[in-house]
Each structure stands twice: as structure tokens, then as C-alpha cells.
Amino acid sequence: MVPQAKSHWLAALSVGIVTAALASGLAAALAGQPQSGHPAASKIHFEDVAKAAGIHFVHNNGAFGKKWLPETMGSGVAFLDYDNDGWQDILLINGMDWPGHVRHHTTLALYHNNHDGTFTDVTREAGLAVEMYGMGVAIGDYNNDGYDDIFVTALGQSHLFRNNGNGTFADVTRQAGLWGPNEFSTSAAWVDYDRDGKLDLVVGNYVQWSPETDIYCSLDGKNKSYCTPESYQGASIRLWHNRGDGAFEDVTRKAGLFDSTSKSLGVAVLDANQDGWPDLLVSNDTQPNKLYINDRNGTFSEKGVSSGVAYSEDGVARAGMGVDAADYDRSGFPSVIITNFSNQMVSLYHNERNGLFVDQAPQSEVGRSTLLTLGFGCFFFDYDLDGWLDLYVADGHLEDGIERVQPRVRYAEPPHLFRNLGNGKFEDVTSLVGAAFAAPRVARGAAYGDINNDGALDLLVSTSHGPPALFRNTGAINHGLRIRLIGTKSNRDGIGAVARVTAGSDVQSEMLRSGSSYLSSSELILTFGLASHTQADKIEIRWPSGRVDQLTNVSADQIITVKEDAGIIATKPLAKH
């Protein structure tokens, strides 16, 4: 997904000249159309509170004029409750200066939630002031001790930080058997693929690149630009199996996942066929996307092409970046979003429930609105708590001189917030939720989490070589219910569990998942919007172990903690939003 050079860049450019003109007229026409008039949705406002909250962080991509490939990729963000105090903390991944061109030393940053709208930088005290060219992050309790651990992907050596349970972390990469691979690792996710109660780890890898193998590319024939990934060899994802003794073993080939042609940027976990076993969706850049269906015996079968998610409608492998999967239409089956390059529009693959996915974007507002933008982080979430999953896309180009080639395309771009209308359609409400939210930025990673325990989901967005944005969600008037899971026979986080919530005639379901978006990790809590309903009449939780727990008449506007085979063990009212 690097600004296109050679065949890929020229193809995108020729298409872009036409689509830019079409999109210009289309945007003008759409500008006159009425936006959402829904009273609940119209009150929502996203305010950037990063600076006021005490988050003073600037991403460092190390750029010093050489236009090296990793500099364009940005970094991930995460919400996590690392000290189990019931408040979401923030983790920001960082790059570093290149050897021989060091101006200052930078590390990732951990910010503790002070429960009053502010955060404190506790990186050094927590033992996380480790310098690396960090890319992505995955949060999960791999040793089932009740404290979430941190896996950071990187250019070079990725790192596993074990949570010691006392506010500090230990780098256990070597003793966990994860030391050695020198790769360009991107997104990652924790997943119990064999349902043995222990979290395994899937890691996406981009291309085979090093400063020594960097290739010269140019947008204008005069100046060096960032090359397309087509210029480099691909790299396989890796699957690390949790042995249960604190260490992992590489089972990529054994599981049938080895594929050195992939150029992976996004990883999502889903149950595509609803058989109770987690499948893997990998978004690839200029290579076909991969859908790995779990064979339920420790192996996977690749079904990207046969399922319809590998290519665009016209059979082109697009520049897949971010990815997410969720049941946005209450069909009982997860559909998929994948962000792509400018002039390619976002992919919105609807699950037809027969093993096939159909891209709805070209016929929808989602496709029309994203035609010119370049998307990265993305996810489904219910921002207005009306019971229908909405859609967020973080945008930003890769080449700061793109306007020289495509005048209608910008380096810094506004995001997209699509409100789910409940009839299989979305509307773009970006301009209605705040000027700061809609402001152009060079966005990359994105995650959601509730920073003030009011039930309304807030957003955390990284900026390439810039400061992050923390958008606090205010104005929500609908009821909501948050569910925290504790596995016993299943993994402690309950990752892979599916909650099905019934309120009146409304039935919705969500899987608790690690990964998704781009390089980022959202909170490990399920949030259900209940609209005007004051209770959930029924909640059914299907755990990875196969156990099914059922709850009835659960009041809205609270966070409940549900333990496998024990039911609700704790409740806490949500702050008034």
C-alpha cells in the first residue's frame, strides 16, 4: 500500500484520474442530500481530549529523507485494563530513529487512566521503555493469570511483555520461544484456535525489506518516493501455538498457513461459518486476501477465492490494509470490512450464510464515500447505542506529494463514520459529530474503548509521525449494556466467546475478539446498545469450551462481569452519559 510505483502505481493513477473526476461530481451531489435526522444520533459528539487528558506523545517514524518503506506505515494503539481497576488504559506503539541517524530515543508509551478524565504516563515504571521499530499490538492473557499481557509487533524482533500483576511488565520474548524471527511484522491477534483454553498468537507479516534492499521508486520521475509492496517479496503469517508452560511453538506450516506470497497488514478473527471454531481473515496488500477456515483438527483450509473475499468485483487484488468482521445486519453471521488504497474504495463483504461473501460497497454509501480516500484502521462498533453496529474508517495517504499526481487526493484526509440505518444500509455522518473528529489527518491505527465508564464508546487514533487523537463520545441518550467475561475452562479473557442479547424483538450478537482494525487492539469488553430498552430480556453466552450460559432480565446501563459456569459475579452501574 505504499504510494504506487511501476505497474500498480500506474494502474491506480490511470483509474484515479477518471474516478477522481467522477467522485468530485458525486460528492457535490451527495452534499445536497439530507444527513441523519435521527434524534439520538444527532446529539452525538466526538471531542479530541488527548492533550487535555495529559497524553503527550508523538509518533516517530525515523524518516530522514531516504523514503524507506516502513516510514509510511504508522503504528498501532490499544485500550487495555492492565491493572484490573475497571478503567481502560492506553498503549501507544512507537517507531525509532534509524541507526546512524539518531536524533532522539523513543519508546512505546503506557498511559494509566486516573478515573477523572486524565491519564498519567507510566511507561518507565511499568518496564515498557523499550526501544524498537514498533508496528502493532495485541492484548491478551496468554498465561491465564488474570492480567492482560502485551505483544508488540515490530520491524525486526517483536516482543512479548508479561504482565506481572503489580503494575509492571517483563519482556519474556526469549523464554516464551518467540525470539529469532527478523521480520516486518504488522497486525496480530490472540486466538484459541484449537479451543484448548490457552491463547495462541497469529502474527501478520508484510514484505521482505531492509535498508540494504530498499528499491528506488519515483512518483514524478525526479524525486524518490515510497515504493509499492509489489517491488518486494512477500512473507507468510505466523501461528504460534501456546504450549501451556509459558512458551510457544511455531505451527505455521503444520496448521496449513504458510504462504510466502502474502503481504499481510490486517488480521481478524471470526467464525465465518458459525460452526463454533475461530477462523482467520488476513488482508493483503496487492495480493489476494486470505480466509482461513478452521478444520477443527489443528489445521486450516484457505477459502479466500471461493468465498469471494480475495479480490474486488472485477477480479483485482487490492491494497488491503485494515480489517474487521461483525454481524452488522443481525443475520447471525459476521460480515467483513477491508480498507483499501485510494481509488479502490472500502470493501464491505456481506456474509451470504452459504460460504459466500458479496461486496456491497459499490452499491452503497460506504463505497461511494471512500472512493478517493486511503483507509487504514477500521471497525464495527455501536457509537450511538441504538443496537445496530456502525462503521469507522481512519484515513490518510502515504505520500505527502500525492497532490502533484492526483489533485483530488490528499495526504491528510478526514475519517469516515457510517451510521447503520438498520436496513442493511449506512449513511456517512462524519460531518455531524464534531469539527475535530472530521478534521483531516494522516491516520493509521484505530481502536475503541470506554475511557470514562459511561457506556459510550470512545476512539483512539494514531497519526503517522504525529500525535494521537483521543475522541471522547458525548451526547449518547440510548441505553447500553457492557459485558466483561472471565473464562474458566475457556481462556481467562473469554476471547472467542459469543454473546447473544435479546431485548424485546431486537436480537444481536457479538464475538469477543482480539486483533482487527490496523495494528491495533480495542478493549476486551462487549458493548451492546439497547436503544430504548431498559433491560436485556435474555443473554446467551457461548464459550469457546462449548459451555453455554444463559441470563435473564438483566438491567441496562451497567457493566456486568460474567464468569463461565457461574453467571454474573459482579455488576457496576455506568456513569451517566
Side-chain angles (χ1 to χ4, degrees):
M1 30 107 308
V2 185
Q4 316 293 18
K6 299 186 178 178
S7 61
H8 191 70
W9 168 252
L10 292 174
L13 175 57
S14 60
V15 172
I17 293 173
V18 177
T19 54
L22 292 174
S24 177
L26 181 61
L30 289 174
Q33 294 183 3
Q35 294 273 11
S36 171
H38 191 279
S42 64
K43 295 180 180 293
I44 303 294
H45 182 83
F46 284 96
E47 177 186 2
D48 186 359
V49 298
K51 289 184 179 179
I55 297 175
H56 306 292
F57 173 92
V58 177
H59 173 249
N60 176 26
N61 67 4
F64 64 101
K66 287 287 190 179
K67 295 277 186 174
W68 282 350
L69 179 61
E71 297 167 359
T72 68
M73 308 300 292
S75 63
V77 298
F79 284 111
L80 74 162
D81 182 6
Y82 76 94
D83 55 354
N84 287 349
D85 65 352
W87 295 77
Q88 292 298 313
D89 309 300
I90 285 174
L91 184 69
L92 303 169
I93 307 304
N94 211 346
M96 61 181 288
D97 285 338
W98 297 106
H101 302 275
V102 176
R103 291 161 292 187
H104 55 283
H105 295 277
T106 52
T107 72
L108 54 79
L110 177 65
Y111 285 89
H112 178 260
N113 192 323
N114 297 328
H115 311 177
D116 60 0
T118 67
F119 292 78
T120 299
D121 187 340
V122 295
T123 310
R124 292 197 175 277
E125 302 95 298
L128 292 175
V130 179
E131 192 171 25
M132 70 182 92
Y133 204 102
M135 296 297 300
V137 56
I139 306 297
D141 184 3
Y142 80 91
N143 55 2
N144 288 329
D145 68 350
Y147 289 88
D148 279 330
D149 310 296
I150 299 170
F151 180 75
V152 179
T153 65
L155 174 67
Q157 179 62 60
S158 298
H159 290 262
L160 175 62
F161 297 99
R162 185 191 64 213
N163 192 326
N164 295 323
N166 59 1
T168 69
F169 291 81
D171 189 338
V172 296
T173 310
R174 288 183 183 275
Q175 65 194 71
L178 299 172
W179 192 269
N182 191 317
E183 295 170 316
F184 193 159
S185 297
T186 54
S187 294
W190 295 99
V191 55
D192 184 4
Y193 77 95
D194 54 358
R195 290 174 44 177
D196 66 353
K198 299 181 291 292
L199 288 177
D200 311 298
L201 182 63
V202 58
V203 182
N205 289 303
Y206 193 31
V207 295
Q208 298 181 38
W209 177 93
S210 69
E212 293 75 25
T213 59
D214 186 74
I215 298 173
Y216 183 93
C217 296
S218 177
L219 279 175
D220 55 14
K222 300 177 182 178
N223 303 295
K224 188 178 190 295
S225 64
Y226 295 107
C227 284
T228 168
E230 286 181 317
S231 302
Y232 299 95
Q233 292 184 340
S236 178
I237 65 171
R238 282 185 187 265
L239 179 63
W240 296 94
H241 177 254
N242 190 333
R243 299 192 320 206
D245 59 358
F248 296 78
E249 58 181 335
D250 187 346
V251 295
T252 309
R253 292 181 182 274
K254 180 180 177 182
L257 295 177
F258 184 81
D259 177 8
S260 60
T261 68
S262 285
K263 299 175 182 180
S264 305
L265 291 177
V267 176
V269 179
L270 73 164
D271 186 357
N273 52 10
Q274 291 297 285
D275 66 351
W277 290 77
D279 310 307
L280 303 175
L281 178 66
V282 180
S283 58
N284 282 320
D285 189 0
T286 70
Q287 292 293 313
N289 301 315
K290 306 291 184 179
L291 176 60
Y292 294 102
I293 299 298
N294 197 320
D295 295 327
R296 298 181 285 183
N297 60 3
T299 68
F300 293 81
S301 295
E302 207 287 296
K303 302 292 184 181
V305 173
S306 61
S307 69
V309 303
Y311 300 100
S312 65
E313 276 189 325
D314 48 358
V316 174
R318 289 181 278 194
M321 270 77 88
V323 61
D324 195 20
D327 181 12
Y328 74 84
D329 62 347
R330 298 182 181 174
S331 67
F333 284 71
S335 295
V336 169
I337 179 174
I338 299 176
T339 55
N340 298 305
F341 208 81
S342 54
N343 305 314
Q344 293 182 340
M345 76 175 56
V346 159
S347 307
L348 182 62
Y349 293 108
H350 181 262
N351 193 328
E352 300 294 301
R353 297 183 288 179
N354 58 2
L356 297 176
F357 290 78
V358 175
D359 191 357
Q360 301 287 342
Q363 292 80 41
S364 77
E365 181 78 2
V366 172
R368 291 190 292 268
S369 294
T370 61
L371 185 59
L372 289 183
T373 51
L374 198 166
F376 279 91
C378 61
F379 45 75
F380 294 98
F381 75 132
D382 189 357
Y383 82 94
D384 55 0
L385 300 177
D386 67 349
W388 294 92
L389 292 174
D390 311 300
L391 181 56
Y392 173 81
V393 179
D395 296 316
H397 213 278
L398 298 143
E399 178 60 60
D400 58 8
I402 187 62
E403 292 89 347
R404 299 196 308 269
V405 182
Q406 296 188 40
R408 296 292 301 176
V409 178
R410 295 289 182 266
Y411 181 48
E413 301 174 327
H416 286 97
L417 179 63
F418 296 100
R419 181 171 177 267
N420 190 333
L421 300 180
N423 57 3
K425 297 181 179 180
F426 292 86
E427 64 175 341
D428 192 336
V429 297
T430 309
S431 64
L432 301 181
V433 295
F437 178 87
R441 53 178 40 88
V442 187
R444 294 293 184 260
Y448 61 81
D450 182 4
I451 61 173
N452 51 359
N453 284 334
D454 67 350
L457 293 173
D458 311 297
L459 304 183
L460 181 62
V461 183
S462 72
T463 300
S464 180
H465 209 56
L470 176 61
F471 293 109
R472 185 177 61 198
N473 183 340
T474 61
I477 61 175
N478 285 320
H479 298 290
L481 180 67
R482 286 165 58 79
I483 303 175
R484 178 173 176 258
L485 302 176
I486 297 179
T488 52
K489 186 176 180 182
S490 303
N491 67 86
R492 172 81 181 202
D493 280 328
I495 289 174
V498 176
R500 181 180 174 91
V501 174
T502 301
S505 60
D506 297 333
V507 182
Q508 51 186 309
S509 62
E510 291 185 41
M511 174 191 284
L512 184 68
R513 295 165 298 126
S514 169
S516 284
S517 192
Y518 173 76
L519 306 179
S520 300
S521 293
S522 294
E523 63 177 8
L524 292 176
I525 295 177
L526 295 173
T527 295
F528 289 90
L530 298 181
S532 60
H533 298 289
T534 57
Q535 73 170 23
D537 302 320
K538 180 181 178 181
I539 301 174
E540 179 183 271
I541 299 174
R542 294 185 176 272
W543 299 87
S545 66
R547 161 102 191 158
V548 178
D549 287 332
Q550 294 190 356
L551 313 170
T552 57
N553 302 326
V554 179
S555 297
D557 302 323
Q558 61 176 334
I559 179 169
I560 62 174
T561 300
V562 181
K563 190 173 184 178
E564 186 175 10
D565 202 19
I568 298 175
I569 62 170
T571 64
K572 181 181 179 181
L574 296 174
K576 189 174 182 180
H577 49 245

